[in-house]
């Protein structure tokens, strides 16, 4: 019994939380949790690139948000390792009242005064799912993936905002932030290393960076009419 407990406490498990690849979204809407948004051809290339990048890793569990773009991103990774893609609702995109609307700079939803009431509290935030709620569900999803891959590695495919929020929480930063400053580009990996049940380090990498359009990279300036510049 004591030996098993010591082994569990010393297990090193890595949970890679991946943002999905580029989505086919010619209308430039904030698609949020809407169904029917699939990876573009470029997005599929991104997913394949990351699958190649992770091919030699000790991955024993792959799980994704139930949204199509996340499931499609996870598929080549799972295939490479002979695994099925599990689904976890806790990895889903953050709820947002602007879902289905264009939300670019100088156009779209922000031009309508009726929407301004949703922008009154950036700390919660007032336009969508509370940051604290995102932390709770994402930490639970990471814990589940850690347990499923104990002593090995797991991949969780999720969405930009929940990934950035849980990383901010783990790294003890404030949760409210400038969306343009998120370090979470398309098909990026935010990797949490656990010793036993405790996170001991966080890493970040962009295996498909050369495939990411410049205006969608971390720190890029917003493009007028390009709602997806903020990512999802």
């Amino acid at each position: 019994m004591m030996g098993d407990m010591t082994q569990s406490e010393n297990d090193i498990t890595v949970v890679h939380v991946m943002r999905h690849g580029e989505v086919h979204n010619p209308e430039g809407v904030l698609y949020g949790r809407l169904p029917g948004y699939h990876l573009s051809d470029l997005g599929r290339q991104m997913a394949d690139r990351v699958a190649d990048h992770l091919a030699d890793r000790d991955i024993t569990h792959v799980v994704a948000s139930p949204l199509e773009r996340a499931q499609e991103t996870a598929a080549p990774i799972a295939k490479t390792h002979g695994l099925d893609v599990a689904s976890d609702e806790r990895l889903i995109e953050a709820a947002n009242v602007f879902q289905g609307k264009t939300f670019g700079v100088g156009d779209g939803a922000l031009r309508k005064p009726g929407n301004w009431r949703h922008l009154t509290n950036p700390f919660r935030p007032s336009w969508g799912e509370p940051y604290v709620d995102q932390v709770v569900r994402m930490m639970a999803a990471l814990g589940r993936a850690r347990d499923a891959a104990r002593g090995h590695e797991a991949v969780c495919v999720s969405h930009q905002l929940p990934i950035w929020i849980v990383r901010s929480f783990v790294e003890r930063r404030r949760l409210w932030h400038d969306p343009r400053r998120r370090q979470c580009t398309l098909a990026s990996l935010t990797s949490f290393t656990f010793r036993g049940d405790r996170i001991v380090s966080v890493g970040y990498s962009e295996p498909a960076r050369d495939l990411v359009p410049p205006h969608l990279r971390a720190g890029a300036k917003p493009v007028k009419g390009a709602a997806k510049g903020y990512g999802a």
Side-chain angles (χ1 to χ4, degrees):
M1 180 74 71
M2 183 63 69
D4 291 344
M5 182 179 297
T6 301
Q7 180 65 37
S8 177
E9 290 173 349
N10 290 330
D11 279 342
I12 299 297
T13 308
V14 181
V15 178
H16 304 282
V17 186
M18 180 182 176
R19 185 182 170 195
H20 61 78
E22 187 192 57
V23 174
H24 180 66
N25 181 22
E27 296 83 12
V29 302
L30 196 158
Y31 33 77
R33 295 179 175 180
L34 292 174
Y37 283 87
H38 298 268
L39 293 183
S40 65
D41 290 340
L42 180 59
R44 294 181 186 281
Q45 291 180 46
M46 293 177 182
D48 288 340
R49 172 72 64 81
V50 178
D52 290 343
H53 175 76
L54 295 174
D56 294 330
R57 302 300 293 255
D58 183 24
I59 293 168
T60 61
H61 182 66
V62 178
V63 60
S65 154
L67 295 173
E68 292 99 331
R69 58 191 186 271
Q71 292 282 319
E72 291 166 1
T73 299
I77 299 172
K79 182 178 179 180
T80 297
H81 293 275
L83 302 169
D84 293 325
V85 179
S87 183
D88 190 333
E89 288 278 353
R90 294 170 296 191
L91 294 170
I92 202 167
E93 175 62 291
N96 193 309
V97 297
F98 295 106
Q99 176 176 289
K101 300 180 174 65
T102 57
F103 195 56
V105 177
D107 60 3
L110 288 183
R111 296 181 60 185
K112 300 177 181 179
N115 287 327
W116 296 349
R117 62 189 173 88
H118 297 301
L119 305 174
T120 56
N121 185 356
F123 306 105
R124 185 179 183 268
S126 53
W127 55 83
E129 182 182 7
Y131 293 138
V132 171
D133 291 357
Q134 294 179 54
V135 168
V136 171
R137 65 177 172 86
M138 288 293 289
M139 286 298 292
L142 263 63
R144 174 67 184 85
R146 174 205 63 214
D147 290 344
R150 181 78 67 174
H152 304 278
E153 301 185 29
V155 176
C156 301
V157 181
S158 186
H159 308 267
Q160 187 191 55
L161 179 55
I163 297 171
W164 180 247
I165 289 300
V166 75
R167 177 181 173 185
S168 296
F169 172 76
V170 170
E171 295 182 333
R172 300 185 179 182
R173 287 192 302 273
R174 67 191 185 197
L175 301 184
W176 61 273
H177 61 282
D178 182 341
R180 297 168 297 183
R181 297 186 180 276
R182 296 173 189 159
Q183 188 183 42
C184 188
T185 61
L186 291 164
S188 62
L189 296 170
T190 301
S191 302
F192 299 85
T193 299
F194 290 81
R195 182 181 294 278
D197 292 344
R198 183 170 61 92
I199 295 174
V200 294
S201 68
V202 180
Y204 177 78
S205 60
E206 299 178 356
R209 179 177 174 80
D210 61 303
L211 298 176
V212 178
H215 73 282
L216 296 181
R217 294 175 184 169
K221 294 182 179 180
V223 177
K224 184 175 181 180
K228 61 182 179 179
Y230 290 105

